[in-house]
Amino acid sequence: MSRLIKIAIIAALCAALAGAGAVYSLDPYPVDQPIAFSHRLHVEDLGADCTDCHLYASTGIRATIPNVETCSVCHLEPLGESAAELKLAEFVKADQAIPWAKVYWVPEDVFFSHRLHSAIGGIECQTCHGPVAARDEPLARPLVPISMESCIDCHQEKEVPNDCIACHR
């Protein structure tokens, strides 16, 4: 294969990856969440930490979206009369998974570890997720757009590897 063809292939791959990064940064349509959940109530009023509910945010690849196993620790019975509290109690009593709609995601070819970024890198949750702790409504879309460009910028700022293979596997 000639050198010119190799350069063209590499340029096309780089363009495709850059284009993919632009696509993933688009603001997605809002999603509907099954329960009206207040992060503010749990974090600011009750003193919960992100990792109290997102169990693997500092120890795993994925942070996990809390479900009845986590919620039932405090919510075996309704703690109030709100529609959200009663609906949560129904899920807990039935031991039925809450069908939360995922809001943050990365493409399948991207390796991302919460542990590497939070526990090892010391990056606070709100850096990538925004001021979630102050919200009284569940997230319908990302508060901070996640894109290849934002990841590259952060890697440069933190002076960590920015090689394609570090993230794209």
Side-chain angles (χ1 to χ4, degrees):
M1 191 179 307
S2 77
R3 185 169 187 250
L4 188 57
I5 292 174
K6 287 179 186 176
I7 291 171
I9 290 171
I10 291 170
L13 287 172
C14 289
L17 286 174
V23 169
Y24 295 122
S25 69
L26 295 176
D27 191 20
Y29 293 104
V31 297
D32 290 323
Q33 298 293 1
I35 298 174
F37 179 83
S38 172
H39 278 89
R40 186 199 52 75
L41 171 70
H42 289 81
V43 175
E44 292 180 11
D45 295 355
L46 301 175
D49 185 69
C50 299
T51 56
D52 291 335
C53 299
H54 299 277
L55 302 178
Y56 303 108
S58 63
T59 61
I61 292 172
R62 290 176 179 70
T64 67
I65 298 174
N67 221 296
V68 293
E69 301 82 11
T70 303
C71 300
S72 65
V73 171
C74 300
H75 295 276
L76 277 174
E77 297 294 326
L79 299 176
E81 297 296 319
S82 73
E85 187 69 35
L86 296 173
K87 192 170 186 180
L88 174 59
E90 289 175 20
F91 281 112
V92 170
K93 284 184 181 180
D95 196 27
Q96 179 184 358
I98 304 165
W100 296 113
K102 192 172 179 180
V103 175
Y104 286 96
W105 60 277
V106 294
E108 286 185 27
D109 70 317
V110 174
F111 173 78
F112 177 88
S113 166
H114 273 87
R115 180 178 168 274
L116 287 176
H117 289 81
S118 62
I120 296 172
I123 298 172
E124 298 290 328
C125 300
Q126 61 270 20
T127 301
C128 299
H129 294 285
V132 174
R135 292 186 51 87
D136 279 317
E137 306 85 27
L139 293 182
R141 63 172 41 116
L143 298 180
V144 175
I146 304 295
S147 68
M148 188 166 136
E149 182 180 359
S150 64
C151 293
I152 287 172
D153 289 347
C154 186
H155 277 223
Q156 287 174 339
E157 180 183 314
K158 302 281 184 189
E159 297 180 355
V160 295
N162 235 346
D163 299 330
C164 297
I165 198 70
C167 302
H168 294 276
R169 299 181 180 181

